[in-house]
Amino acid sequence: MEYLYFLYIDFLHKYNLPEFIGMATFPLLPFCMVAAALILVVLFLVLMERKVLAFFTQRKGPNRVGPWGLFQTIADAIKLLCKENITPTGAEKFMFNLAPLLAFVPVMVVWGLIPFSSEFDFMSYSVSALLFMTIASIPTLGILLAGYASNNKYSLIGSFRSVAQAISYELPLVFVLVSIVVLASSLNLRQIVLAQISVYPFCGWFIFPAFLGFLIFFICATAELNRCPFDLPEAESELVSGYNTEYSGMKFAFFFLAEYAMMFIMCAFMATLFLGGFLSPFGFYLSERFIHNDLLAQVLVYFEQVFWLFLKTFFLIFCMMLVRATLPRLKSNQLMGFAWKVLLPLSFLNLFFICCYKYFIYAK
Amino acid sequence: MNFEVLDKFNVEIIKKENSFEKIRVESSNLCDLLNFLKNSAEFNFDRLNTIIAIDLVDNFELIYDLHSINTSQYARISVIIDRNSPKIPSIIEIFKSAYYDECEIFDLFGIEFTNNQNLKRLFMPKGWVGYPLRKDYKQTDERLSWNEK
Amino acid sequence: MMKKSLKPFRDIIALALGHLTVFKHVFKRPVTLEYPEKKLPLNDNFRGEHALVVDNEGKLLCTACGTCQRVCPSFETIEIEKEKNESGKFYPKNYTIDLNKCIFCGNCVQYCPFGAIIMTKEYELADEKKSALKLDINTLKKNYSDSIIKKTVKSKR
Amino acid sequence: MTKNRLKINIGPQHPSTHGVLRLVLELEGEIIKSCEPVIGYLHRGMEKMAENRTYLQYLPIVDRIDYLSGFFNSFAYCNAVENLAQIEVSKRSQYIRVLTMEMNRLSSHLLWLGTFLLDMGATSPLFYTFRDREVILSLFEELTGQRLMYNYYTFGGLRHDVSDDWLDKVGDFVKIMPKKIQDYEDIITNNPIFTTRTKNIGVLSKNSTLQYSITGPNLRATGIRVDYRNSKQETGNKEHNSHGLGYLVYPELDFEIPTAKTGDSFDRYKVRVEEMKVCLKLISQCIDWLKSNTGEIISPIKQHLLKVPEGEFISNVEAPRGVCSCYVKSDGSGNPYRVKWRTGSFYAVQILPKLLENTFYPDLMAIFGSLDVILPEVDR
């Protein structure tokens, strides 16, 4: 990290800029990178979703704009930006406009909490795992407001479904998180990742002791993200488009962006907790092994760690897409029953098992 | 089929070449006849396939097409109604599926089914003038004619 | 009792099988046809835009008998102005087909006693104006010669 | 009383109503308290149309009553007219009619399966079923010239013969199809989400199906083995009317009629999937016969000069959505005096209020989807 800082100061010196500018702007750099990365990733993700779903169903997916349809989402984004913003006459104007922001801003905040590499994270607090869960549940409020404010019955049903769903699935999610915290003995996400280092490659990942927990977490995350088969708030065959029926243009784009960004972040979070986050699956970093320039290798390791994290994240996202392609939607009462009757007891079981594991085996 | 049992309902059996045989009955006896045909073990007509209304210019004819699942039989019961006061007792008490059929006939022929409480126009919009399937119906609404612009 | 306790396992197996079945389609070739560039091959039976058959001497086979009008399910679709030529035979002075009203049932082709009207494989008929969908005798003739050139139709007689 | 109720309109334009049906629902939370179907948005006056057209002119229009299974409507009408005018239909054309109708039933069921599962939220089966339906439609296009509005049957025959080449193609399709059906079943039949959503949902009792005149697969799902294709009814007596049961060459073919027990949404799904397999069986039998036998298929009568003697006739056809009856009354002229259509979906819509009462809102899709309602058939 310090090395990077000195490189930056050196770079500024070349253009005769004083050091305090460097001091002031250096902390902002990762933020800008992270924010830009998020937008890029989301644009790519939308395309990936469409492509992957197309492959599952023997289609080609978007292939008109740019090579292999790479610029399709950019074209879509521009289209959304150019569209007229319509506010329904009966809507609560203030809340109607507030809702997309409320859905989008927490996502940007939460993004900074993910440890991208062993040195490089934007916000690192000792309780970052807890903070993540807290902030990640705010977008539900945005959805509730959107449904309430848009003066549409479909939206209203969608939003109250969403809230019920979020409340019931948050609980098992947190209990699984607690089991991970027990394993790592820390609430800091970076410490959780570092606790997964072991002598043998990838054997220390928490997915192995907490496989049940991983499954529960995956299911609950899918529900939290309102993705199929838990996409009740926007079940298109019942509620037309659910809570965002009345939204158009940029406001709709905010919801859309928030949804996909949250999906990526949730998967990154899952990768951090269970799949060793930025750790390499080989037990060593490729750049360390193959590049003999020590300084360069040190820098490259950070990027490699980001790469591993992204790879794991995309694998999880792919699994989510497979689930979406296969499963039918749950019914609302079935959904609640599943959360309270199946997932919650199972998450207790998982926690109990992890505690025993920690006490008898892991601690030794 | 042995139709002699039905004599008490004052029926007339019509056979024609090129047509199926029909049991002609007075509208006052219709409900009793259908009830009998449905419940008697010999006939057991448990399904009303459809009701067909025909405009015979002087009067209307209703044909009740009955099917039996158990005995694989068919019966067609025909009722003639006066054109000037088209009224007939409803049979939704006997066959519930008749409700939509009766609404349809009310909508397109203007035949009224007494004691069918929720008779409504099924296909045509509210306030439509005339009964389209009558032979003397004339299209008066200009919005419906094909205009090239 | 035994069966009920096994239900979760059977459910998990069924779910896994479902996911596997969907996943295996990734390795299959897409069945999409990218429409404007590639088109489905059409066979000779296809019912597309109409054309009037012209024989080798450049004369229409049509004798303006009006059978096509009588078998057409939508009214006022086909309009024929008939006229007598020098040798006393009828021929169509003008022959219009209104594609706004045509339902492409193919009755006119099927029941024409002279085989004078055919349907080509042209199906991209969208236009900005309704009037462009009214085919007069010249367009119908042109359709025939076009389709002969494109080999989208077999030359009759 | 209605203070806490939410009145909501499903339709006329709604993703899951499969056309322009409007359902006025009253919700209490997520529970449907009452439902009122409003139909008529697609009324085209099919029956009035017949009265000012000749018999032949009306024939192409008939396909549009149920655009997913045009052959059945076409056959019902042709059959009525043929019986009235006493036109013989050759054996070969009967076999081709059976072949095309069964293929049509298969394509119709495939579309139903895809859209039903899409309503339930499973996306990919829709694309698989459409992929396979596309093969059938291409075959139809090759045979008749169009994909949905076939206009292939004529009074007393068919427009043109099938070629051996075409039959080979159908044979290839029949060979690969069982594997595809197995794929759909793998994805969905035992899926716990699907089963809990459909089992014991929308239960139709034997009595109420008959009371409401529900026919077709919906009736067979309740356990009543009634199929108008089959003359060998299990409980029926052998002397049935000369028309009606066992039309065309179905009595010569070997097939069984799938039924289920409870009559819930899952059973309706199951019966239709089994019926698809029966279709494949019938198709392959027809192909075998057609390959080994030749015959005339073009009708000798002049179609456009057809005059039908006075009389009336009802022909019943086992269409994919229930019994399709066509009543034709002739007064001896070239135009039918009165044509009346009886279609399966019309009665399936009627039973909706009864089925939907006190069910959850998401069950609406599971129930309505499984009934296989198609709106052009309801409104005609």
Side-chain angles (χ1 to χ4, degrees):
Chain A
M1 208 67 189
E2 277 154 23
Y3 177 72
L4 276 180
Y5 177 68
F6 287 126
L7 274 183
Y8 183 61
I9 299 291
D10 273 354
F11 174 74
L12 289 180
H13 272 309
K14 263 188 197 164
Y15 295 96
N16 295 324
L17 288 166
E19 198 176 331
F20 72 87
I21 292 182
M23 273 161 72
T25 54
F26 185 69
L28 283 177
L29 271 183
F31 174 77
C32 294
M33 281 167 72
V34 157
L38 184 66
I39 302 291
L40 271 179
V41 156
V42 166
L43 285 181
F44 178 68
L45 242 154
V46 177
L47 182 73
M48 178 184 164
E49 166 119 56
R50 293 171 68 175
K51 275 281 187 194
V52 167
L53 282 180
F55 289 147
F56 282 142
T57 51
Q58 283 186 274
R59 291 178 292 128
K60 283 180 179 153
N63 59 358
R64 291 300 158 112
V65 192
W68 308 292
L70 273 177
F71 304 129
Q72 180 65 50
T73 34
I74 296 168
D76 286 346
I78 292 168
K79 181 207 80 176
L80 281 175
L81 279 170
C82 299
K83 264 179 121 175
E84 189 191 353
N85 263 321
I86 298 165
T87 313
T89 27
E92 287 269 346
K93 270 207 180 115
F94 176 68
M95 288 194 205
F96 187 79
N97 294 328
L98 181 69
L101 286 178
L102 213 54
F104 186 68
V105 171
V107 178
M108 288 301 263
V109 176
V110 155
W111 174 243
L113 287 166
I114 305 279
F116 295 101
S117 68
S118 49
E119 294 283 342
F120 192 71
D121 51 0
F122 180 44
M123 299 188 288
S124 182
Y125 306 107
S126 55
V127 288
S128 55
L130 216 57
L131 196 64
F132 183 95
M133 290 314 304
T134 321
I135 302 174
S137 57
I138 295 178
T140 312
L141 204 61
I143 291 173
L144 175 66
L145 272 191
Y148 166 73
S150 48
N151 189 27
N152 180 320
K153 286 165 185 173
Y154 293 124
S155 307
L156 189 64
I157 296 174
S159 67
F160 69 60
R161 275 182 182 183
S162 164
V163 173
Q165 189 174 321
I167 289 169
S168 36
Y169 279 85
E170 204 98 320
L171 222 58
L173 202 67
V174 172
F175 272 107
V176 175
L177 182 66
V178 168
S179 72
I180 297 299
V181 169
V182 168
L183 273 175
S185 318
S186 171
L187 272 168
N188 184 315
L189 284 173
R190 195 194 295 166
Q191 291 303 321
I192 289 175
V193 174
L194 293 177
Q196 296 180 46
I197 296 174
S198 71
V199 193
Y200 309 105
F202 72 78
C203 287
W205 292 2
F206 287 156
I207 187 173
F208 297 110
F211 185 68
L212 182 64
F214 173 71
L215 285 183
I216 297 168
F217 201 95
F218 188 84
I219 292 167
C220 292
T222 322
E224 281 278 296
L225 296 168
N226 299 331
R227 276 183 67 79
C228 210
F230 303 97
D231 59 347
L232 288 164
E234 43 190 320
E236 85 280 341
S237 63
E238 297 153 27
L239 301 177
V240 186
S241 186
Y243 61 87
N244 57 28
T245 308
E246 294 290 348
Y247 282 89
S248 63
M250 201 50 214
K251 287 180 215 159
F252 171 75
F254 266 123
F255 275 118
F256 199 68
L257 274 178
E259 202 184 307
Y260 277 88
M262 201 59 206
M263 177 168 126
F264 185 78
I265 294 163
M266 229 16 176
C267 286
F269 188 57
M270 242 188 293
T272 308
L273 294 185
F274 294 97
L275 298 178
F278 51 75
L279 300 180
S280 158
F282 304 114
F284 57 85
Y285 294 106
L286 295 175
S287 44
E288 260 177 1
R289 184 66 58 97
F290 296 115
I291 294 167
H292 301 293
N293 182 346
D294 271 359
L295 279 176
L296 187 64
Q298 239 178 24
V299 175
L300 276 180
V301 161
Y302 299 141
F303 287 100
E304 203 192 323
Q305 285 172 331
V306 175
F307 168 74
W308 288 123
L309 180 71
F310 273 42
L311 195 71
K312 289 163 186 173
T313 312
F314 276 114
F315 172 72
L316 287 172
I317 289 172
F318 182 79
C319 291
M320 274 194 177
M321 285 169 186
L322 180 58
V323 169
R324 176 183 169 171
T326 315
L327 294 182
R329 192 176 298 116
L330 273 97
K331 212 163 77 179
S332 43
N333 56 341
Q334 207 179 338
L335 177 104
M336 305 295 260
F338 186 60
W340 293 101
K341 287 181 200 158
V342 182
L343 288 182
L344 196 60
L346 278 181
S347 63
F348 281 136
L349 187 74
N350 175 58
L351 183 58
F352 176 72
F353 175 73
I354 292 295
C355 290
C356 296
Y357 175 80
K358 172 90 177 173
Y359 186 75
F360 291 113
I361 306 163
Y362 195 70
K364 278 175 191 174
Chain B
M1 274 185 290
N2 179 21
F3 291 120
E4 281 163 16
V5 205
L6 303 178
D7 279 348
K8 60 180 168 183
F9 298 108
N10 200 9
V11 297
E12 179 194 349
I13 291 166
I14 301 168
K15 281 184 188 172
K16 256 191 220 164
E17 221 184 323
N18 273 329
S19 298
F20 45 78
E21 50 178 28
K22 285 188 285 195
I23 305 168
R24 173 80 41 90
V25 72
E26 291 292 313
S27 62
S28 52
N29 284 337
L30 176 71
C31 286
D32 297 334
L33 177 67
L34 288 179
N35 243 331
F36 175 74
L37 287 175
K38 187 189 171 192
N39 296 324
S40 78
E42 186 191 351
F43 297 107
N44 197 7
F45 288 113
D46 41 15
R47 193 167 71 80
L48 174 74
N49 195 38
T50 185
I51 306 174
I52 301 155
I54 306 150
D55 185 358
L56 296 176
V57 184
D58 302 326
N59 37 29
F60 293 118
E61 184 182 5
L62 286 188
I63 298 176
Y64 292 78
D65 185 16
L66 297 175
H67 286 205
S68 167
I69 298 293
N70 289 327
T71 57
S72 315
Q73 282 173 335
Y74 297 78
R76 275 100 199 206
I77 291 155
S78 148
V79 187
I80 298 281
I81 318 165
D82 183 30
R83 194 190 177 90
N84 296 324
S85 60
K87 264 183 192 163
I88 191 168
S90 164
I91 58 156
I92 45 171
E93 297 294 314
I94 308 162
F95 294 106
K96 281 178 185 157
S97 70
Y99 173 57
Y100 261 28
D101 284 318
E102 286 177 0
C103 287
E104 188 191 336
I105 290 165
F106 169 71
D107 188 4
L108 303 176
F109 283 92
I111 296 172
E112 214 172 293
F113 290 85
T114 50
N115 64 15
N116 183 344
Q117 303 299 327
N118 304 318
L119 217 55
K120 63 179 178 188
R121 300 209 84 154
L122 206 57
F123 296 139
M124 306 316 266
K126 271 179 198 166
W128 187 266
V129 182
Y131 302 104
L133 274 182
R134 286 190 182 186
K135 288 279 174 189
D136 56 0
Y137 175 75
K138 286 273 181 325
Q139 180 61 263
T140 49
D141 200 332
E142 279 185 7
R143 287 172 298 174
L144 295 173
S145 59
W146 179 277
N147 290 322
E148 269 192 56
K149 278 167 192 169
Chain C
M1 202 61 210
M2 184 67 189
K3 264 188 177 172
K4 209 171 184 188
S5 64
L6 280 175
K7 198 177 176 290
F9 296 103
R10 272 189 285 134
D11 285 354
I12 288 165
I13 289 168
L15 281 175
L17 186 66
H19 284 107
L20 213 74
T21 317
V22 173
F23 184 70
K24 87 180 176 198
H25 285 88
V26 175
F27 306 108
K28 291 186 179 167
R29 198 181 281 169
V31 289
T32 322
L33 197 85
E34 284 148 315
Y35 162 61
E37 289 99 42
K38 294 173 195 163
K39 284 172 188 171
L40 274 176
L42 301 170
N43 71 320
D44 292 340
N45 282 339
F46 187 79
R47 306 209 289 260
E49 201 177 355
H50 304 71
L52 281 176
V53 178
V54 185
D55 64 3
N56 296 333
E57 294 155 25
K59 273 184 183 172
L60 288 172
L61 292 180
C62 180
T63 59
C65 67
T67 310
C68 43
Q69 284 175 317
R70 260 178 278 135
V71 296
C72 183
S74 42
F75 300 138
E76 298 162 21
T77 308
I78 302 175
E79 274 163 29
I80 309 172
E81 275 178 50
K82 60 164 132 179
E83 210 162 81
K84 254 184 197 175
N85 64 1
E86 302 86 50
S87 56
K89 277 183 178 173
F90 282 109
Y91 75 98
K93 193 185 168 202
N94 199 3
Y95 189 108
T96 48
I97 295 180
D98 191 351
L99 293 186
N100 295 306
K101 294 171 185 169
C102 178
I103 63 169
F104 294 92
C105 64
N107 269 359
C108 46
V109 178
Q110 183 76 17
Y111 298 107
C112 180
F114 305 100
I117 182 167
I118 54 158
M119 280 176 139
T120 62
K121 294 183 189 176
E122 205 60 52
Y123 56 89
E124 288 153 323
L125 306 173
D127 209 292
E128 287 170 355
K129 277 178 251 156
K130 266 187 177 178
S131 55
L133 290 172
K134 241 181 176 174
L135 311 178
D136 62 356
I137 194 160
N138 295 324
T139 347
L140 289 165
K141 275 184 193 169
K142 197 170 153 286
N143 278 347
Y144 183 70
S145 50
D146 282 356
S147 56
I148 293 291
I149 293 162
K150 284 188 205 159
K151 287 184 181 167
T152 52
V153 78
K154 265 191 240 158
S155 168
K156 283 193 179 177
R157 301 185 195 193
Chain D
M1 200 184 87
T2 52
K3 207 176 170 187
N4 297 324
R5 288 191 178 178
L6 186 67
K7 209 166 193 179
I8 194 164
N9 267 313
I10 307 291
Q13 272 84 36
H14 191 271
S16 66
T17 51
H18 301 216
V20 277
L21 169 72
R22 179 165 150 233
L23 296 171
V24 185
L25 299 183
E26 267 188 20
L27 296 179
E28 215 176 81
E30 289 240 343
I31 296 170
I32 298 168
K33 282 293 170 191
S34 78
C35 162
E36 195 203 337
V38 181
I39 59 172
Y41 292 94
L42 216 56
H43 184 60
R44 293 152 293 172
M46 279 289 176
E47 289 161 11
K48 187 74 183 172
M49 270 183 183
E51 288 172 15
N52 42 25
R53 279 167 172 77
T54 62
Y55 283 94
L56 179 67
Q57 278 181 324
Y58 187 51
L59 187 57
I61 294 170
V62 161
D63 284 334
R64 273 111 179 132
I65 286 174
D66 177 359
Y67 57 85
L68 295 177
S69 51
F71 277 132
F72 291 92
N73 301 313
S74 201
F75 170 69
Y77 177 62
C78 283
N79 192 28
V81 174
E82 279 155 13
N83 270 293
L84 277 174
Q86 280 160 0
I87 306 166
E88 282 286 313
V89 185
S90 74
K91 198 105 196 193
R92 185 172 171 86
S93 25
Q94 289 197 26
Y95 264 100
I96 296 173
R97 281 184 182 186
V98 171
L99 172 70
T100 46
M101 267 157 69
E102 288 307 319
M103 282 169 75
N104 206 177
R105 187 191 309 275
L106 185 59
S107 80
S108 169
H109 279 350
L110 279 172
L111 183 124
W112 165 81
L113 183 65
T115 48
F116 174 48
L117 294 175
L118 187 71
D119 283 353
M120 306 280 287
T123 41
S124 41
L126 174 86
F127 294 101
Y128 302 152
T129 54
F130 267 67
R131 173 197 66 196
D132 300 335
R133 181 171 170 265
E134 200 60 28
V135 179
I136 303 180
L137 292 190
S138 305
L139 286 169
F140 278 156
E141 189 190 304
E142 198 180 324
L143 179 67
T144 68
Q146 264 184 24
R147 300 167 79 79
L148 291 171
M149 308 304 166
Y150 310 112
N151 192 18
Y152 180 55
Y153 300 161
T154 55
F155 304 120
L158 306 163
R159 280 192 159 200
H160 35 75
D161 205 347
V162 295
S163 63
D164 281 349
D165 195 32
W166 189 79
L167 286 175
D168 287 338
K169 281 185 194 167
V170 180
D172 291 343
F173 170 72
V174 169
K175 262 173 222 149
I176 53 165
M177 199 53 207
K179 231 187 245 171
K180 305 273 167 92
I181 294 177
Q182 187 56 43
D183 269 5
Y184 313 143
E185 289 217 77
D186 282 348
I187 297 172
I188 222 72
T189 305
N190 289 322
N191 188 310
I193 299 175
F194 180 73
T195 47
T196 40
R197 272 199 73 176
T198 51
K199 275 191 177 162
N200 292 321
I201 299 293
V203 182
L204 272 168
S205 68
K206 278 186 191 184
N207 194 25
S208 62
T209 42
L210 292 175
Q211 268 285 319
Y212 281 94
S213 200
I214 305 282
T215 42
N218 299 338
L219 176 67
R220 290 192 283 276
T222 60
I224 302 173
R225 197 180 292 268
V226 171
D227 194 317
Y228 281 64
R229 289 176 289 175
N230 192 358
S231 61
K232 291 162 266 177
Q233 297 279 336
E234 277 197 342
T235 53
N237 64 0
K238 299 286 178 287
E239 287 173 49
H240 51 76
N241 293 19
S242 57
H243 47 271
L245 300 184
Y247 53 91
L248 287 178
V249 288
Y250 280 111
E252 294 173 20
L253 300 169
D254 169 41
F255 66 104
E256 69 279 359
I257 295 153
T259 52
K261 271 176 194 157
T262 46
D264 53 15
S265 290
F266 184 77
D267 280 355
R268 291 195 276 274
Y269 157 79
K270 198 75 193 153
V271 164
R272 285 205 175 83
V273 171
E274 292 301 321
E275 220 163 74
M276 277 164 27
K277 292 175 189 167
V278 174
C279 284
L280 291 175
K281 215 173 153 185
L282 282 166
I283 292 169
S284 55
Q285 284 175 41
C286 287
I287 294 170
D288 289 344
W289 193 93
L290 286 170
K291 272 188 180 167
S292 51
N293 292 280
T294 50
E296 188 56 43
I297 54 111
I298 308 289
S299 156
I301 58 153
K302 284 233 153 109
Q303 306 278 336
H304 52 286
L305 303 175
L306 179 72
K307 280 214 166 94
V308 176
E310 222 173 296
E312 47 192 332
F313 194 85
I314 301 181
S315 74
N316 298 307
V317 178
E318 185 70 38
R321 290 169 185 81
V323 175
C324 172
S325 305
C326 178
Y327 168 87
V328 178
K329 184 183 171 71
S330 159
D331 60 350
S333 70
N335 299 15
Y337 187 77
R338 166 103 168 96
V339 173
K340 155 90 187 170
W341 286 94
R342 185 257 184 229
T343 50
S345 305
F346 186 60
Y347 297 90
V349 169
Q350 194 182 355
I351 206 173
L352 268 180
K354 185 179 173 330
L355 278 181
L356 288 176
E357 211 169 296
N358 288 326
T359 54
F360 279 88
Y361 181 40
D363 288 342
L364 168 70
M365 280 77 225
I367 295 168
F368 182 67
S370 71
L371 283 174
D372 194 10
V373 173
I374 181 158
L375 269 298
E377 212 188 51
V378 176
D379 295 341
R380 301 191 294 278

